[in-house]
């Protein structure tokens, strides 16, 4: 290939600390003068008779150059008579100049074995590469294009002329106005039959600061290609990138050049590409300057929110009949050519008759022929608060028309509607169940009764808490009481002793009630039995065998005082006397004896343990 | 002379009666209801609020004030007062209906995942029964459980398989009713909530204007209160969204 100028320049000898057979050098190709669209190959070679372990170097900071690929490592050996005489390791980097001007690769430090080696710095001069086709008279092949102002002559020594071109549809848009941006690959049409271009790779993708960017994803480079004659040469143009840009502020802005690398190969029809060879080519587009104009202040309407383009306004309601408290969906749609994303909704105020809620927003946009078409819909929920004639407010939308250079305002007129205010109830009269026509809140509570200052929930009231805690104390108490009762039931003697006084008092009371119907003998016999039975119960003995003497002995054994025992004996003898001498048992004496028996039972109950 | 004295006393009484009546909460409540019935919702709301200032916390008062506020277009305040009424009487059908209706006219809709038929049915039953009835039934079951334990423990041979089954059933019922009551109370009245009163309010990532706005909520939306910091409330929505809202823009139930 004619353009391949094999010039190993600036090979630097290794500076080994001692005089060994190791040699480290840096080589660039091409050397001397290059263009900013020309790949530069940097090779770091380590050679020697026998290479110890080596480490790939960390490249120093390059001046006006950057690494776009690598390192690729290759090894080679040389031997004579099957004996290895030398060994070479090459680390190859692909560099690209950042722009015109001087460039430098500083000394590279390489670690081989235990030693460090440094290469000599290499300097290059960078000129601007081609950013467009050469002027008329240049050749598409071999000899290269005639030199142009940007120094394209060096680059055009390739076998095909290929360029990147960036263009905008309008160089002086207004702030907010949409402009189309297109990046194209231009190829010499005459050479297309013989060459193939592929393996495209971005080195500098296009960037757009100070612009809002809308992408056009539907781009077909092959299908949308077209021919164009540039400088007398017919070029085939392939669109690669298409975007819609919206300037966000006024000023002069330069769209940075985009750079791309691709491979150019000869068409090898005979062997279906087997013999073709691909040559890497780098191309950079020319910068594009856009002068963005500020929107005029004069005549700017109130409520203008930045829409620039050409639009139309439409306002609709979702129904024809209206009722109080029934929501109405009111839609306002703005549609047209321009950018609407940043546009605020037209103001729609609430009125005493209407409650207006915040709008829902829906937005769609499409890119067609490099221009943006947008549609934005705001939907308000509007609720009439009263019946009768109600005016639904109109809406206004202002935009700047870049063609006329003036502000325009679109109006949707207010609409008066009749709102039915007599809703509720049922519309009967037909078949089927009755249904409410509409819903509403329920009526206030007018029930009489003292207003309360505080109503605590049931579970928070004191009595509830007491009732909830009570079983914890009650259960052990009930268990204790139940078990005690069981125990008592099991001990009949104990029960008899405990109940002796109560039983005696009961018998005494019954005798007193029945005294009038008894003769003196029977009365005193039963009265004596009250006492004797009491003692028998108290000592858990049989009453039948209990003589007065035995009873007295038992009482004495339990420590009953002598006086009390004497009274016991006396009462019993009195009863016996009255049984056998009825005259002594007159009514007044009966009362006296009854009283004494009662006192005696009480006294014994106190005296007995 | 005596007749003149009597006339003066009667006249003073006649003058004093309306003044006394004006300070009487029941009379004021009655007059507020009359104003509402006459369509003077603002006046009715003013009377109801005066009663609240006097310390009255009757559910009828909160409910009627909610109605009056709704009629004057202040949906946020209406929901706030209805929520307060529901705290006191969670099973009041009117309160539940009004809250449900009010939430159909507010701007924000919160998507809550469907809990399923079983949970929906259980919730409907709980709503109808209410935490008060739950508390009564749980108390009865608690006494029954305690009675069974006391009866069986207080006598020899009291613990039989039958007694064990009875006790197991009562304990299971008690736990189920108490748990259901706790969930019902927590859902209807136990959790702390706040209602957005401003037409729109920003929910921010932190307690301060310098934090990013996560979303904008609108009047009437009910939010769960998680914590309160000076001038800011951390809130969460049923769908799990959380953030901080200025305390001045909401009313705490």
């Amino acid at each position: 290939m004619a353009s391949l100028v094999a010039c190993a320049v600036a090979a630097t000898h290794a500076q080994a600390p001692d005089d060994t057979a190791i040699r480290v050098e840096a080589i660039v190709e091409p050397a001397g003068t290059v263009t900013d669209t020309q790949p530069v190959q940097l090779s770091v070679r380590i050679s020697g008779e026998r290479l110890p372990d080596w480490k790939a170097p960390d490249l120093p900071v390059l001046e006006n150059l950057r690494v776009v690929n690598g390192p690729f490592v290759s090894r080679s050996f040389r031997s004579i008579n099957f004996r290895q005489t030398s060994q070479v390791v090459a680390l190859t980097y692909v560099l690209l100049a950042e722009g015109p001007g001087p460039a430098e690769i500083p000394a590279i430090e390489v670690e081989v074995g235990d030693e460090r080696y440094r290469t000599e710095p290499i300097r290059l001069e960078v000129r601007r590469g081609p950013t467009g086709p050469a002027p008329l008279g240049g050749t598409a092949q071999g000899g290269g294009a005639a030199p142009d102002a940007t120094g394209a002559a060096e680059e055009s020594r390739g076998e095909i002329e290929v360029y990147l071109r960036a263009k905008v549809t309008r160089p002086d848009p207004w702030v907010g106005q949409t402009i189309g941006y297109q990046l194209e690959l231009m190829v010499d049409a005459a050479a297309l039959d013989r060459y193939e271009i592929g393996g495209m790779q971005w080195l500098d993708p296009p960037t757009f600061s100070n612009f809002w960017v809308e992408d056009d994803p539907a781009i077909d480079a092959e299908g949308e290609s077209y021919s164009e004659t540039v400088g007398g040469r017919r070029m085939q143009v392939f669109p690669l990138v298409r975007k819609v840009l919206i300037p966000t502020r006024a000023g002069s802005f330069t769209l940075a050049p985009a750079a791309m690398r691709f491979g150019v190969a000869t068409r090898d029809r005979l062997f279906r590409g087997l013999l073709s060879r691909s040559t890497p080519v780098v191309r950079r587009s020319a910068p594009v300057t856009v002068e963005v104009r500020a929107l005029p202040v004069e005549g700017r309407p109130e409520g203008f929110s930045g829409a620039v383009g050409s639009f139309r306004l439409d306002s609709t309601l979702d129904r024809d009949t209206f009722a109080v408290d029934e929501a109405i969906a009111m839609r306002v749609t703005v549609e047209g050519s321009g950018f609407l994303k940043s546009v605020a909704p037209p103001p729609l105020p609430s009125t005493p008759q209407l409650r207006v809620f915040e709008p829902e927003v829906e937005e769609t946009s499409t890119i067609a022929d490099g221009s943006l078409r947008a549609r934005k819909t705001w939907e308000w929920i509007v609720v009439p608060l009263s019946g009768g004639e109600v005016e639904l407010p109109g809406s206004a939308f202002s935009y700047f028309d870049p063609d006329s250079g003036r502000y325009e305002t679109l109006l949707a007129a207010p609409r008066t509607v009749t709102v039915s205010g007599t809703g509720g109830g049922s519309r009967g009269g037909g078949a089927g169940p009755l249904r409410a026509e509409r819903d509403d809140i329920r009526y206030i509570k007018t029930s009489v009764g003292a207003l309360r200052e505080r109503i605590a929930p049931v579970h928070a009231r004191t009595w509830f808490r007491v009732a909830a805690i009570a079983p914890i104390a009650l259960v052990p108490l009930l268990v204790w009481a139940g078990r005690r009762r069981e125990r008592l039931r099991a001990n009949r003697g104990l029960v008899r002793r405990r109940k002796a006084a109560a039983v005696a008092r009961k018998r005494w009371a019954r005798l007193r009630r029945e005294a009038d119907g008894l003769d003196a003998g029977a009365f005193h016999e039963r009265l004596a039995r009250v006492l004797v039975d009491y003692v028998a119960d108290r000592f858990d003995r049989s009453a039948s065998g209990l003589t007065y003497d035995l009873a007295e002995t038992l009482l004495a054994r339990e420590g009953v005082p002598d006086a009390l025992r004497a009274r016991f004996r006396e009462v019993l003898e009195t009863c016996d006397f009255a049984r056998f001498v009825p005259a002594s048992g007159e009514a007044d004496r009966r009362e006296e004896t009854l009283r004494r028996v009662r006192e005696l039972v009480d006294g014994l109950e106190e005296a007995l343990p | 002379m005596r007749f003149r004295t009597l006339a003066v006393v009667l006249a003073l009484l006649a003058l004093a009666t309306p003044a006394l009546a004006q300070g009487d909460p029941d009379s004021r409540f009655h007059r507020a209801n009359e104003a509402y019935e006459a369509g003077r919702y603002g006046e009715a709301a003013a009377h109801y609020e005066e009663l609240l200032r006097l310390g009255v916390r009757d559910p009828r008062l909160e409910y009627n004030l909610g109605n009056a506020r709704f009629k004057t277009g202040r949906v946020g305040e209406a929901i706030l007062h209805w929520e307060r009424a529901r705290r006191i009487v969670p099973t009041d059908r009117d309160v539940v209906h009004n809250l449900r209706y009010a939430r159909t006219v507010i701007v924000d809709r919160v998507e809550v995942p469907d809990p399923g038929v079983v949970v929906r049915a259980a919730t409907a039953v709980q709503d109808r029964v209410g935490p008060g009835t739950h508390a009564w039934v749980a108390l009865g079951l608690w006494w029954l459980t305690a009675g069974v334990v006391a009866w069986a423990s207080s006598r020899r041979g009291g613990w039989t398989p039958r007694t064990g089954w009875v006790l197991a059933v009562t304990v299971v019922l008690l736990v189920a009713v108490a748990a259901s009551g706790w969930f019902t109370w927590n859902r209807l009245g136990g959790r702390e909530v706040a209602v957005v009163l401003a037409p729109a309010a920003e929910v921010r990532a932190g307690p301060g204007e310098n934090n990013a706005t996560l979303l904008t909520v609108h009047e009437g939306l009910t939010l769960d209160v998680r914590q309160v910091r000076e001038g800011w409330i951390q809130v969460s929505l049923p769908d799990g969204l959380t953030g901080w809202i200025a305390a001045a823009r909401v009313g705490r139930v």
Side-chain angles (χ1 to χ4, degrees), chain A residues 355 357 440 442-443 445 468, chain B residues 37 63-64 67 98 107 142:
Chain A
R355 183 180 176 82
F357 292 92
D440 198 359
R442 292 192 179 162
Y443 200 59
K445 295 182 186 295
Chain B
E37 286 167 10
Y63 173 81
N64 289 3
N67 276 27
N98 284 6
V107 176
W142 169 230

Side-chain angles (χ1 to χ4, degrees), chain A residues 400-417:
Chain A
F400 181 75
D401 185 349
D403 294 335
S404 65
R406 287 183 315 180
Y407 290 98
E408 305 285 349
T409 298
L410 302 172
L411 293 172
R415 232 176 112 176
T416 302
V417 296

Side-chain angles (χ1 to χ4, degrees), chain A residues 355 357-358 439-447 449-453 455 463-464 467-468 471 474-475 482-483, chain B residues 26 37 55 57-60 63-64 67 73 92 94 97-98 101 105 107 135-136 142-143 153-154 218-219:
Chain A
R355 183 180 176 82
F357 292 92
E358 290 287 311
D439 199 3
D440 198 359
I441 60 168
R442 292 192 179 162
Y443 200 59
I444 56 168
K445 295 182 186 295
T446 55
S447 60
L451 292 171
R452 285 170 287 187
E453 289 195 358
I455 302 172
W463 65 261
F464 185 91
L474 276 178
V475 167
R483 287 186 177 175
Chain B
D26 292 332
E37 286 167 10
R57 289 291 178 273
D58 195 281
R60 291 168 293 174
Y63 173 81
N64 289 3
N67 276 27
D92 189 303
D94 295 335
H97 171 88
N98 284 6
Y101 177 73
V105 301
V107 176
W136 275 108
W142 169 230
W143 273 83
S153 303
S154 64
H218 299 88
E219 185 179 4

